[in-house]
């Protein structure tokens, strides 16, 4: 494995850890992949990145919790499924972020009770 920061070899295993990735649904059921990932020590003493986590080609991306295929699916389907909305552009990697905004109902004028109308049981609009 090579270090992405300096390009030198990283051959010594530092540690291992479990990683969970969301993948495309199969048969309508959510898929979670569980991987055991190794962290390697960079062999370059001057490198600013001391350890490097291994990546599975075409499956994992650093710091992401979804497979590359699931992220592509979200980018393709998300905008087509839901109507665009005003405001800042949201990430397209999660379909839940593309929920359509509920239509705004015309707000009626609120009724305010003042001290004088409260004693008589009346309401006035403001």
């Amino acid at each position: 494995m090579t270090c992405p920061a300096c390009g030198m070899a990283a051959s010594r295993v530092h540690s291992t850890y479990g990683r969970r990735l969301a993948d495309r649904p199969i048969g309508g059921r959510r898929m979670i992949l569980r991987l055991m990932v190794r962290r390697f020590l960079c062999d370059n003493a001057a490198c600013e990145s001391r350890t490097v986590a291994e990546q599975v080609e075409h499956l994992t991306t650093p710091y992401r919790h979804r497979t590359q295929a699931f992220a592509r699916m979200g980018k393709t389907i998300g905008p087509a499924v839901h109507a665009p909305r005003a405001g800042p552009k949201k990430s397209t990697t999660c379909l839940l972020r593309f929920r359509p905004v509920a239509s705004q109902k015309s707000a009626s004028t609120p009724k305010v009770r003042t001290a004088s109308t409260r004693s008589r049981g009346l309401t006035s609009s403001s």
Side-chain angles (χ1 to χ4, degrees), residues 1-5 8-21 34-42 49-64 66 68:
M1 155 152 222
T2 59
C3 176
M8 293 265 312
S11 57
R12 296 177 295 154
V13 176
H14 175 267
S15 60
T16 60
Y17 66 96
R19 185 171 176 184
R20 293 174 32 168
L21 296 171
R34 294 182 184 190
L35 305 172
M36 287 303 295
V37 180
R38 296 177 293 182
R39 288 196 71 79
F40 292 93
L41 289 166
C42 181
S49 177
R50 299 183 107 185
T51 62
V52 180
E54 72 179 330
Q55 301 297 322
V56 180
E57 190 175 355
H58 304 295
L59 183 67
T60 62
T61 308
Y63 307 108
R64 299 289 183 254
R66 295 175 192 87
Q68 293 176 5

Side-chain angles (χ1 to χ4, degrees), residues 101-107:
V101 177
S103 63
Q104 297 284 339
K105 293 182 181 178
S106 61

